[in-house]
Amino acid sequence: MFLTPHFLTGAAITKVVPNKPLAYTLAFFIHFLLDRIPHSDHFLSGISTGRKNKSFYQVVGPIVIDFFVGIALIIIAHFTFDNFALWPAIIGGMLGILPDFFNALSYFNYKKNYLLLFRGQPLYPVEEFATQTKNPYYRFHRFFHNKKVYNGILGTITQLAVIIIDLVVLLAL
């Protein structure tokens, strides 16, 4: 799932759950339940080409934009309607995307990809990492992930539905 729905869900949880430690915990763990919904994902295979290749930035660019869209929607909603606290929503949103950040760390740690990235060399392929890694966190995350990626209309509709529900919670409740 893209980052924006996870971010907005984490933020919405902080609005409806008054106990912030509980809300933050839920924001993190709801990520795994959202990944069970049929959805599209970013195409990650180009990242293994390394930072000196244009394909790397074609993968990283949309992910960075996705991250900032989530933050921007929270900020815009807060200043437009002013019916929820901004910082708890931002923290909840960050916790909502944290599982994916941990996945990225797992990939960059795989066979020391971080050194290859730093040197500008090609990284080990994402596909190899996904099938060969013994990383327990990654395997846990993948266990919850929907087994099929829907990069068509269904994947787009489900993510838009999550975004709309989250915005209704943030703006109307």
Side-chain angles (χ1 to χ4, degrees):
M1 187 169 278
F2 292 154
L3 297 176
T4 297
H6 286 303
F7 200 100
L8 291 174
T9 299
I13 288 170
T14 64
K15 180 177 179 187
V16 297
V17 177
N19 179 328
K20 293 310 173 215
L22 176 60
Y24 296 151
T25 302
L26 288 172
F28 179 83
F29 284 107
I30 291 293
H31 177 103
F32 300 104
L33 293 177
L34 285 177
D35 277 349
R36 294 296 299 156
I37 298 170
H39 62 276
S40 359
D41 269 325
H42 291 285
F43 293 104
L44 300 176
S45 59
I47 203 165
S48 60
T49 60
R51 66 180 172 83
K52 291 186 177 180
N53 191 300
K54 180 175 138 182
S55 297
F56 177 84
Y57 297 98
Q58 290 173 333
V59 171
V60 173
I63 294 171
V64 170
I65 291 168
D66 186 14
F67 173 76
F68 284 110
V69 165
I71 292 174
L73 286 173
I74 294 299
I75 293 170
I76 291 167
H78 170 74
F79 286 111
T80 303
F81 294 91
D82 195 26
N83 64 347
F84 62 91
L86 179 61
W87 286 110
I90 296 286
I91 292 168
M94 293 292 191
L95 289 166
I97 64 171
L98 194 58
D100 286 337
F101 178 73
F102 287 158
N103 267 356
L105 289 179
S106 299
Y107 171 69
F108 287 114
N109 194 45
Y110 178 72
K111 295 187 178 182
K112 300 187 179 175
N113 267 338
Y114 61 89
L115 289 176
L116 299 174
L117 180 68
F118 181 73
R119 294 178 186 150
Q121 298 171 327
L123 313 178
Y124 287 93
V126 173
E127 296 80 10
E128 175 187 323
F129 166 73
T131 58
Q132 303 297 318
T133 187
K134 304 289 187 227
N135 182 293
Y137 174 78
Y138 179 79
R139 296 173 75 74
F140 173 79
H141 192 171
R142 294 309 296 172
F143 172 78
F144 283 96
H145 220 268
N146 194 301
K147 304 302 180 221
K148 184 176 179 191
V149 174
Y150 297 85
N151 283 323
I153 190 80
L154 177 62
T156 303
I157 289 172
T158 57
Q159 292 193 91
L160 285 173
V162 170
I163 289 170
I164 290 167
I165 291 167
D166 291 334
L167 289 173
V168 166
V169 168
L170 284 169
L171 304 177
L173 297 180

